[in-house]
Amino acid sequence: TKNKKSDPYLRFPLEVGVWYSGATLQQNRYVGGLQYDARGKGFLDFGSRHYLDFIIHGPNRFNLPAVGSYDQYSLSYSYKNQSTVTLGDYGLRFSNLLEYGRFGRGAKYDQEFKHLGFSVFYLQPRFFPNQRDSYGGRLNFKINNISRI
């Protein structure tokens, strides 16, 4: 059995913080920088229809290649887990078989119906200059809740 927790105040979980990173490079030169980070994700109503997920992480003032030191600004809104709008930085990935290297800035819209789903997107890759801007769409047919064509 599960103990289902309910929040009578409908609190939206937030994480806010500051991040400092520094390193001593060649010729004993010290490089450091400060970034802020704010994140939140959760439902906006008691009926669990409106879901919001956002990330504000920046600014990008480092000349230090470190994991997570780049700026990221993203907003994703979902209605009834059927319609989703994503703006800002996101990873373009349609399935586990396709590449995951297309992280960039753009917009994406997903819509799910009973037996049909579609997605349209635009993405400008950020970290690989040899990749061009991507735009397109996807159409799928649901066989059941797990399988799609």
Side-chain angles (χ1 to χ4, degrees):
T1 60
K2 289 186 178 180
N3 184 6
K4 191 172 182 179
K5 296 180 181 179
S6 66
D7 186 1
Y9 304 109
L10 193 65
R11 291 176 279 224
F12 187 79
L14 293 173
E15 296 177 19
V16 178
V18 177
W19 182 56
Y20 180 80
S21 181
T24 303
L25 303 177
Q26 297 172 347
Q27 295 95 23
N28 289 328
R29 191 179 64 140
Y30 184 79
V31 175
L34 189 69
Q35 287 184 317
Y36 53 82
D37 189 80
R39 299 166 188 259
K41 60 181 172 180
F43 288 102
L44 301 174
D45 62 338
F46 287 112
S48 299
R49 294 180 309 228
H50 303 277
Y51 185 82
L52 184 68
D53 183 356
F54 70 89
I55 298 173
I56 300 169
H57 180 83
N60 189 8
R61 294 188 181 149
F62 295 101
N63 288 326
L64 175 66
V67 176
S69 66
Y70 56 87
D71 60 328
Q72 182 178 0
Y73 306 98
S74 66
L75 174 70
S76 181
Y77 169 77
S78 181
Y79 178 71
K80 288 187 179 180
N81 206 18
Q82 294 174 344
S83 301
T84 305
V85 176
T86 304
L87 302 171
D89 299 320
Y90 69 95
L92 181 61
R93 183 176 178 190
F94 284 127
S95 73
N96 292 335
L97 299 175
L98 296 177
E99 68 173 302
Y100 194 58
R102 293 201 178 263
F103 181 80
R105 288 204 169 124
K108 183 178 175 189
Y109 177 74
D110 297 305
Q111 179 69 49
E112 294 288 333
F113 299 105
K114 187 173 182 179
H115 296 290
L116 182 70
F118 74 91
S119 177
V120 292
F121 66 90
Y122 168 76
L123 184 76
Q124 180 183 26
R126 291 183 62 188
F127 302 123
F128 299 102
N130 58 347
Q131 291 180 346
R132 293 187 292 183
D133 292 6
S134 301
Y135 56 91
R138 162 189 76 151
L139 178 67
N140 64 46
F141 299 98
K142 290 184 191 176
I143 297 172
N144 54 35
N145 287 337
I146 299 172
S147 302
R148 298 172 187 212
I149 295 176

